[in-house]
Amino acid sequence: MRVLLTGAAGFLGSHLTDRLLAEGHEVLGVDNFLTGQRENLAHLAHEPRFTLYEHDVAQPWPDWGPVDAVLHFASPASPNAASPYGYPNLPIETMLTNAQGTYHGLEYARRYGARFLLASTSEVYGDPQVHPQPESYWGYVNPVGPRAVYDEAKRYAEAMTMAYHRRYGLDTRIARIFNTYGPRMRLDDGRVIPNFILQALQRQPLTIYGDGSQTRSFCYVDDLIEGIVRLLHVARAPYPVNLGNPDEYTILELAQVINRLLDNPGGLKFEAERYLEGDPKRRRPDIRRAQKLLGWTPRVPLEEGLHRTIADFRQRLSASSSSDALPERA
Ligand code: NAD
Ligand code: UDP
């Protein structure tokens, strides 16, 4: 297959690139490095089946030639306003990448009769009133709240994808991805696992927004990529599919696990004021559709995934100038 992948320099995009290349496919990566990192793709500098195009997908796309599939993964993904890479600081870029970027991707797929796969999100469920969340749930989203630029843009992207499927019979797939973590996340991404690992490695208290009773269900990146690849290859999947690990933790529990794994004496710091309106109180995927359609179930338990992520964070930190401040063992 010749696959066009937007967001290839990002966390998920770079892992997906590696997986597609390992399967023997050719990958055309497109990225403008808004939140991605060049080093995520540095190991592919001499890979003949990989080409990287620097382009903003919200702008009209050049013709990169025929492809068999378009995978749209470009988009800021962190909700944390404290990070320069958080979508509250990139509001228009986030809206346009998911709106215009999806439109251009769908047009590109239509032109070449390619399959189209959208990286959507559990955020389409907003602050869910149904728990766990099945794909049939329509969500509870504030269209003018602080998370709207992401949530509503992804909802628009899903609607646009279905419009192309219904009007043109385009072969489309929608992955509703739940919180995924692993190596290559930006250290300064602002999402909870990078924040907590970084704080624990630096012997600081872990910052808990609110009282820590809100829950998330964390999926290790290798499991997620396996689900995406199965969704790409399955014969037909026009409707959204939840991909995530149903193992649910409170944020307080997550903090305690990370402090224990890293022997962090720094403890916890509660920052009630940073728990913003619309921050989902509970989130857990109902993955029965993915299990039935794709024969997929996540395998990597939280502590195992955290160990692998911590090893990667340590390595990157020790390669940077701040290495002196780091503890010796995990
Ligand atoms: P990321 O920030 O690491 O990757 C996003 C990539 O898209 C970056 O390389 C960035 O530079 C690129 N990009 C952004 N805007 C662009 C534009 N206009 N043109 C070209 N490239 C652009 O984030 P991620 O966690 O890898 O997320 C990837 C996708 O998966 C996103 O669409 C995100 O919404 C979705 N998703 C991720 C998660 C998760 O837990 N990681 C959960 C739900 C959905
Ligand atoms: N969070 C936290 N401390 C941090 C970063 C995040 O307590 O340093 C909380 C955040 O308020 C949310 C949860 O952790 O309730 C998950 O946040 P994240 O940004 O990882 O992703 P979300 O699932 O909210 O998109």
Side-chain angles (χ1 to χ4, degrees), residues 289-307:
R289 182 176 288 178
Q291 285 171 324
K292 192 162 171 225
L293 183 71
L294 312 175
W296 175 83
T297 299
R299 306 263 172 229
V300 182
L302 182 68
E303 288 202 17
E304 171 60 25
L306 286 174
H307 273 299

Side-chain angles (χ1 to χ4, degrees), residues 10-12 31-32 34-36 56-57 73 97 150 154 180 191:
F11 161 51
L12 295 182
D31 208 294
N32 69 348
L34 184 65
T35 57
D56 176 352
V57 297
F73 276 68
T97 301
Y150 184 72
K154 290 288 186 183
T180 301
R191 281 180 275 187

Side-chain angles (χ1 to χ4, degrees), residues 6-13 30-37 55-58 72-77 93 97-98 119-122 150 154 177-181 185 189 191:
T6 75
F11 161 51
L12 295 182
V30 182
D31 208 294
N32 69 348
F33 299 99
L34 184 65
T35 57
Q37 308 180 97
H55 183 71
D56 176 352
V57 297
H72 185 29
F73 276 68
S75 174
E93 293 88 339
T97 301
N98 285 292
S120 186
T121 168
S122 53
Y150 184 72
K154 290 288 186 183
I177 302 169
F178 284 64
N179 297 64
T180 301
Y181 69 100
M185 291 186 94
D189 175 290
R191 281 180 275 187

Side-chain angles (χ1 to χ4, degrees), residues 18 20 30 72 92 94 101 114 116 119 122 124 131 133 141 155 162 164-165 196 213 223 235 269 283 311:
D18 285 347
L20 293 169
V30 182
H72 185 29
I92 316 292
T94 302
F116 180 85
S122 53
V124 298
H131 190 80
Q133 295 82 52
V141 174
R155 289 168 69 96
M162 291 309 295
Y164 271 72
H165 174 70
F196 282 1
S213 65
D223 282 333
K269 184 175 171 200
R283 179 185 289 159

